[in-house]
Amino acid sequence: MSGLPIVAIVGRPNVGKSTLFNRLVGNRVAIVEDTPGVTRDRIYAESEWSGKGFVLIDTGGIDPDTDDVIPARMREQAEVAMDVADVIVFLVDGRDGLTSSDEDVAQILRRTGKRVVLVVNKVDGGGAADSVYDFYSLGIGDPVAISAANMTGLGDALDIITEGFPVAKGGGADGEEDDEDIRVAVVGKPNTGKSSLINALIGENRLIVSEIAGTTRDSIDTPFEFEGRKFILVDTAGIRRRAKVTENIERYSVVRSIAAIERSDVCLLMIDARDGITDQDKRIAGIAHESGKGVIIVVNKWDLIDKETGTLEKYREKMRREIPFLSYAPDVFISAVTGQRLRNVLDMAEAVSENRSMRVSTGQLNSLIQDAMLMKQPPSDKGKRLKIYYVTQVGVRPPLFSFQVNSRGLMHFSYSRYLENRIRDVYGFEGTPVKFVFREKEDREGRA
C-alpha cells in the first residue's frame, strides 16, 4: 500500500528506542521469506493501530565515543527524521530525567514544522513518574508516559501518534488502488546520478503539469506526461551534505529511500556503473523487494565505462550474482548526462506497473500448478508429502497467490521458488515481486 504515513523515533542512546520499535511493530518484524541475499536492517517496519497503517522508522544505533559529540550526532539524526517523517516520536528517559541533550534535540524539533509526540519511557513506578513533569519545559507538548519494556501506556501513545492518520482501506479486497498515475521512485546511494536522471526526464519531455509537495514530506513529487502516459516522479533528493555530517551517511540515505519506496509503484534502483553493486545498493534493493514494489535496475554512467566485446554481458552477469533476489527485475544501462536509453526507462516503468496489476484466472493457475507438481514432485517429511489442493490469486500490486495445502510446514523454500519460477515462465511478471500465502484447510491466517 503506497502512501502510508511515516513515523520516526528519535532519542539519545539508551532511552529504549529499539525496545519501543519492536513493541510497536510486534510480529510484523518477523522474517517470513528466507530469500538469500536480502539484507534486512531492522530500522523500519510497517505497523497498524486501530485500523490505521503506518511505517515506523528507528533512527537509533548511535554510539557516541565521548559525551561532547552527542549534540552533533543527535542533530544529524533529527535532521533525517524531519526530512522523511510525518510524525516524530521524541523518546526520552524518565529514569534519567531531563538532560541537556534532550534540550538540544527539542530545540531542533521545534523548528521542523512536523508534529512531534513527546514520549517519556521507563516510567514504571518510583521517582520516574515524578520526572515526567520536568519534560513540560521542553515546550513541545504534553509528555506521554510509557514503559516499553513492560508494555504500559503504549495504547495511549499510539492514539496520539496516529491521530489524523487515514483508516486503511486497502483499495478494495485485493489491495487495488484507483490512482492511474505511475509513481516512480528514483532510489540509490548518493552520487549515482538520481537528480541528473530526474532532470533529464523532465527536461526532455517538457510536459511538467505542476510541482506538488509529497503528502506532508519535504521531497517533491513531480507529475508529468510522456506520450499520453501519466507519471509521478518521487525524488529521494539525496543526503544534504553538511560539514559535520561525516558518519552514518549510508544509514540515513537508506532511511530517505524508505520514504520514497513506500510512496511508489515502481522503483528505479540507480547503480553507478563505475562502483558496481555495493552493500548499500543491496540494502535498498531488499527494501523495495520486501515492500512489494516494482523494480528496474538502472545502471547509470555507462558512457564512462571502457568497453570491449562482451563488456555488458559480463557486467550484467556479475551484477545478477550480487543481487539474486532481484532476478525478476529488468535492467537498463544509461547515461543521464548524454540521454542514452532514457526513453527505455519510462517504457519499462509502464510495463512493470502493468505487470504488478496482472491477474491470472483461477482455472489457468490451477492447471499450471498441477503440471508443475507432475514435473517435480512436492517435498515430503517423515512419510508425509506436501499436497496442494487449490490455488487462486487474491491480490495485485504486487500479485498475491493463496495456496491451500495439507501442511504449511512441508512447503520448503526451494519448492516455493520452483512454483514461482513456473508461474513466471508462463506469465512473466517481469519487474514485480510475486508473493505466496500458504493456508491449511482450517487456517485463514497462515503465511509462509
Side-chain angles (χ1 to χ4, degrees):
M1 178 181 172
S2 298
L4 289 177
I6 294 179
V7 178
I9 303 176
V10 170
R12 59 186 176 82
N14 302 318
V15 296
K17 295 187 298 297
S18 294
T19 301
L20 177 61
F21 176 86
N22 289 330
R23 294 299 192 197
L24 294 185
V25 301
N27 291 333
R28 292 178 181 270
V29 170
I31 298 172
V32 296
E33 180 179 313
D34 185 18
T35 305
V38 177
T39 302
R40 294 176 175 86
D41 278 348
R42 286 193 176 187
I43 60 171
Y44 84 106
E46 289 187 16
S47 190
E48 183 180 309
W49 179 253
S50 298
K52 300 175 180 180
F54 58 94
V55 174
L56 190 68
I57 295 178
D58 179 8
T59 60
I62 295 177
D63 184 17
D65 297 323
T66 58
D67 291 341
D68 60 349
V69 300
I70 290 178
R73 300 266 179 100
M74 289 307 305
R75 186 176 301 110
E76 179 182 337
Q77 186 185 77
E79 286 169 348
V80 174
M82 77 174 71
D83 281 340
V84 303
D86 297 297
V87 176
I88 300 172
V89 174
F90 180 22
L91 193 66
V92 295
D93 189 327
R95 293 178 186 170
D96 291 347
L98 183 63
T99 69
S100 59
S101 296
D102 295 329
E103 294 173 342
D104 289 338
V105 179
Q107 185 176 0
I108 298 168
L109 295 181
R110 283 196 298 269
R111 298 195 298 262
T112 64
K114 302 293 179 71
R115 188 159 67 88
V116 179
V117 179
L118 176 60
V119 178
V120 184
N121 192 26
K122 306 180 184 179
V123 179
D124 43 16
D130 295 332
S131 70
V132 172
Y133 299 101
D134 295 338
F135 292 98
Y136 277 97
S137 64
L138 294 176
I140 53 176
D142 297 337
V144 184
I146 71 165
S147 172
N150 296 329
M151 297 186 67
T152 58
L154 297 186
D156 292 339
L158 282 166
D159 285 340
I160 297 172
I161 292 168
T162 61
E163 183 179 351
F165 286 4
V167 176
K169 297 179 180 179
D174 55 10
E176 290 190 69
E177 300 170 8
D178 297 328
D179 190 1
E180 295 181 356
D181 296 351
I182 302 172
R183 303 181 66 87
V184 180
V186 185
V187 299
K189 63 186 180 67
N191 301 319
T192 55
K194 296 189 296 294
S195 296
S196 296
L197 175 60
I198 289 173
N199 290 336
L201 291 175
I202 295 172
E204 277 194 0
N205 298 313
R206 301 180 187 279
L207 290 172
I208 301 173
V209 178
S210 64
E211 289 192 351
I212 57 175
T215 315
T216 57
R217 303 169 182 84
D218 291 341
S219 59
I220 297 297
D221 293 354
T222 306
F224 73 101
E225 288 190 23
F226 176 69
E227 296 185 349
R229 296 171 293 182
K230 294 182 178 180
F231 296 88
I232 297 177
L233 286 175
V234 183
D235 185 5
T236 54
I239 293 293
R240 293 197 200 122
R241 295 195 176 275
R242 293 174 173 82
K244 294 183 180 179
V245 181
T246 57
E247 299 183 17
N248 294 315
I249 202 78
E250 290 190 359
R251 181 186 182 91
Y252 296 150
S253 63
V254 170
V255 170
R256 284 178 180 268
S257 293
I258 291 169
I261 289 169
E262 185 57 40
R263 292 174 18 240
S264 71
D265 300 307
V266 179
C267 298
L268 305 183
L269 177 62
M270 292 285 288
I271 305 296
D272 189 320
R274 300 169 299 179
D275 298 338
I277 300 292
T278 67
D279 288 342
Q280 190 177 358
D281 295 324
K282 295 176 187 178
R283 190 174 298 116
I284 295 172
I287 293 169
H289 170 78
E290 291 184 340
S291 298
K293 307 299 183 179
V295 180
I296 299 170
I297 303 170
V298 180
V299 182
N300 191 27
K301 307 180 185 180
W302 190 242
D303 55 315
L304 302 180
I305 299 297
D306 294 331
K307 305 173 186 67
E308 56 186 30
T309 302
T311 298
L312 188 146
E313 288 74 16
K314 292 177 182 177
Y315 192 102
R316 175 178 286 149
E317 182 180 353
K318 183 177 185 298
M319 181 174 66
R320 293 299 181 176
R321 287 198 304 267
E322 295 285 336
I323 44 175
F325 58 92
L326 286 187
S327 59
Y328 58 82
D331 56 50
V332 57
F333 292 72
I334 71 164
S335 169
V337 173
T338 67
Q340 182 183 22
R341 300 190 186 93
L342 290 188
R343 181 191 180 96
N344 294 5
V345 174
L346 295 178
D347 290 338
M348 284 185 175
E350 182 179 32
V352 169
S353 179
E354 291 175 355
N355 289 339
R356 290 187 74 231
S357 300
M358 184 189 304
R359 286 188 173 278
V360 180
S361 73
T362 300
Q364 291 176 329
L365 185 59
N366 280 274
S367 177
L368 185 156
I369 295 300
Q370 291 300 318
D371 289 345
M373 288 192 294
L374 290 174
M375 294 174 61
K376 183 175 181 178
Q377 198 172 42
S380 63
D381 183 40
K382 297 179 181 178
K384 185 177 181 180
R385 188 168 298 279
L386 172 70
K387 295 180 181 179
I388 301 176
Y389 302 115
Y390 187 76
V391 188
T392 185
Q393 184 175 354
V394 295
V396 293
R397 298 172 126 182
L400 175 63
F401 298 92
S402 177
F403 290 71
Q404 189 177 79
V405 299
N406 62 330
S407 172
R408 285 179 288 129
L410 292 174
M411 179 59 77
H412 297 169
F413 168 77
S414 60
Y415 200 74
S416 172
R417 177 52 55 89
Y418 164 72
L419 295 177
E420 177 184 336
N421 289 338
R422 297 291 72 77
I423 291 175
R424 289 188 183 276
D425 287 344
V426 176
Y427 297 103
F429 288 110
E430 185 181 40
T432 180
V434 171
K435 304 292 185 180
F436 288 170
V437 174
F438 301 106
R439 294 187 171 95
E440 297 176 7
K441 281 191 174 182
E442 301 300 324
D443 180 12
R444 295 185 178 183
E445 301 295 333
R447 184 179 292 264

